[in-house]
Amino acid sequence: MPNNAQLEPTIIVIFGAGGDLTRRKLIPALYNLLLDRQLPERFAIVGVARKNMENDSFRQRLRQGIDQFSRRGVVDESIWNAFANSISYLSENLTDPASGLALHARLTAIEEEWGLRANRVYYLAIPPPMMKPAAVMLQRLGVCRDCRHDRLVVEKPFGRDLASARALNLFLDDMFIESQIYRIDHYLGKETVQNILAFRFANSLYEPIWNRRYIDHVQITVAETVGVEERGEYYDHSGALRDMVQNHLLQVLCLVAMEPPITFDAEDIRNKKVDVLRAIRPIRTEAIHRVAVRGQYRKGTIAGKSVAGYREEKNVSPSSSTETYAAFTFHIDNWRWQGVPFYLRTGKRLPAKVSEISIIFRSPPHQFFPSAAVESWQPNRIIIRIQPEEGIGTRIQVKQPGTRLLLGAAEMKFRYKEAFQTPAPEAYETLLLDVIRGDATLFMRADQVECAWQVVSPILEAWESIPATDFSDYAAGSWGPEAADLMVARQGHNWLPPTFAEES
Ligand code: BG6
């Protein structure tokens, strides 16, 4: 059982505590950490939001969130009671210049009761326009000044373009020290995403062939079956490029493409990732139509159920031109990856929830088998399945049983669930525990966020300047617009349908 004795007493203050993220992800994650005895022995959660609410109704709401969304199902009554005792709620209006007194008093009261200065984690689960008022308030109260004890977690979206991300970085930089700031991207907390590092660098088998000499191209797919659900207002001002590509997909790309770091130190790893972002070939405006595709779902059918089109969703403009699907071809200009296309795609209302990386290898340099034997030949490929059914699969060619020489593809599969009995923690569990421990390895540094914005900026600008007119261009339940197939077909490739789950 992991040991929590070394963890220092911690108070987590969640701004935006009335929101969905708190109920669906943060509180279930903290509850699961408690179940695993991974929270510090002295621990408190203070929820802050604008609305007036009693502690009890706040706790009740969180309890329902755990029952509904925790990977472990409904709460255990006695453990919940202990957990609930550590939770309290405060109503604060962050834009009020006199706000924060109640928060200051609550922090002081908890620390007086514990008889010590606790570590304080301020989790900003609030929309971008509220980030500055929250930071100003913390600064004014003087409650986030100790760079060893006080940390700030900043949820995505971090800005809405390069200029606003830069401005936010400068602003935070003026008030806090970079090592206090934890910019979160929950994809980096997923087990299989972290496993990319282990797979690549803890095995001597793959790294020698992980380059342009052996790899033909790479595909990264993050597909979702859900639509925009209750988040129409946010999403309609964001779109797939800002919501998924600038952060999650580019971070995954970095892990696939980065050079080996010298040590496991957070800065070493982040430096290597930034190198990848800096090496991504800038997209020229006149080439955008060839390397970037956007789409929006119209009504269709998913798992036998008919679903509405994007423009009919709640809080979405009926004439919206926000993209719910995006696909790109990126090139990385360095020695390792010159000439290897990286295809990325993500979309809502696609036929399956699946996040997968496919590494497709080149053909053998010399094919000496008789042509009849290799009729159904397929290139080797490695699939890293991020979710669901986390695992890794390798496709190889084998002789098919029989008296004739006929080659066929076979899969070698490793599945987390089968290989290890311990269930994987949720991404937010890993990341929250890292913040409590003060380990920033899985968080994004200021320059990393800015470089990622730099990569998508030309596309953002082009898409914003040429509004898409007829935009209902893929049916919900399909694999996205045809233009995305054409984009890869122009280079002689095709999107690989995710196969891992179907075969399992
Ligand atoms: C979030 C996006 O960051 O990631 C959502 O804002 C998306 O739109 C979600 O649905 C996907 O995360 P996961 O962990 O379900 O793949």
Side-chain angles (χ1 to χ4, degrees), residues 243 329 348 390 449 502:
D243 186 51
T329 307
K348 294 210 181 276
E390 294 88 342
V449 174
E502 286 157 19

Side-chain angles (χ1 to χ4, degrees), residues 430-442:
T430 305
L431 295 171
L432 282 164
L433 189 56
D434 280 358
V435 180
I436 293 170
R437 286 195 193 115
D439 179 354
T441 313
L442 299 178

Side-chain angles (χ1 to χ4, degrees), residues 32-293:
N32 283 335
L33 288 174
L34 176 76
L35 284 183
D36 291 337
R37 296 180 211 280
Q38 298 212 47
L39 284 184
E41 276 160 16
R42 284 198 168 138
F43 182 74
I45 299 170
V46 181
V48 179
R50 194 168 174 155
K51 203 169 148 188
N52 279 322
M53 209 184 330
E54 294 301 320
N55 281 337
D56 279 345
S57 359
F58 179 58
R59 290 176 185 144
Q60 202 46 38
R61 185 180 145 77
L62 302 184
R63 179 183 176 144
Q64 285 160 0
I66 300 177
D67 288 345
Q68 204 178 342
F69 301 112
S70 167
R71 67 184 166 90
R72 286 186 161 126
V74 295
V75 294
D76 172 303
E77 196 64 33
S78 63
I79 296 182
W80 164 255
N81 288 338
F83 186 61
N85 277 338
S86 65
I87 301 176
S88 59
Y89 180 81
L90 282 179
S91 158
E92 291 278 10
N93 174 3
L94 300 180
T95 52
D96 176 351
S99 62
L101 293 180
L103 175 60
H104 191 269
R106 181 71 48 87
L107 294 174
T108 314
I110 296 172
E111 289 179 355
E112 271 175 7
E113 190 192 321
W114 291 352
L116 46 80
R117 167 68 156 86
N119 286 356
R120 300 166 184 165
V121 173
Y122 300 98
Y123 199 115
L124 306 187
I126 44 182
M130 300 308 292
M131 298 277 179
K132 286 189 183 178
V136 168
M137 185 184 99
L138 294 177
Q139 192 63 3
R140 183 164 37 80
L141 298 176
V143 292
C144 189
R145 292 222 175 115
D146 179 335
C147 59
R148 198 183 88 71
H149 293 287
D150 303 333
R151 289 154 210 166
L152 197 67
V153 183
V154 188
E155 255 299 335
K156 69 173 265 272
F158 196 91
R160 55 175 284 111
D161 52 23
L162 179 57
S164 56
R166 248 185 211 151
L168 185 55
N169 272 334
L170 282 174
F171 182 83
L172 293 177
D173 201 45
D174 253 6
M175 298 192 174
F176 311 100
I177 296 180
E178 175 65 24
S179 62
Q180 287 182 278
I181 307 172
Y182 290 67
R183 296 172 194 80
I184 202 163
D185 180 329
H186 80 279
Y187 260 62
L188 297 180
K190 290 184 188 274
E191 281 290 306
T192 336
V193 172
Q194 293 177 67
N195 199 36
I196 301 172
L197 280 186
F199 181 68
R200 287 192 54 199
F201 302 128
N203 296 296
S204 51
L205 213 54
Y206 304 107
E207 201 43 31
I209 53 168
W210 209 261
N211 57 50
R212 64 189 298 274
R213 186 154 176 217
Y214 297 98
I215 292 177
D216 182 68
H217 71 281
V218 175
Q219 299 188 8
I220 300 177
T221 295
V222 176
E224 297 186 275
T225 49
V226 289
V228 287
E229 316 283 285
E230 297 300 310
R231 298 162 74 226
E233 198 178 328
Y234 150 78
Y235 196 88
D236 210 31
H237 292 98
S238 170
L241 183 53
R242 287 190 172 95
D243 186 51
M244 297 293 286
V245 181
Q246 185 272 342
N247 33 67
H248 307 327
L249 274 85
L250 285 183
Q251 288 305 315
V252 171
L253 168 68
C254 286
L255 289 164
V256 173
M258 70 193 261
E259 295 300 319
I262 301 197
T263 68
F264 200 69
D265 178 73
E267 293 316 312
D268 258 359
I269 293 179
R270 289 150 136 196
N271 287 343
K272 298 296 179 196
K273 289 197 202 167
V274 169
D275 283 349
V276 175
L277 294 171
R278 287 178 48 229
I280 294 180
R281 187 179 303 163
I283 295 179
R284 287 174 297 112
T285 317
E286 61 279 14
I288 281 181
H289 64 284
R290 286 203 301 276
V291 296
V293 171

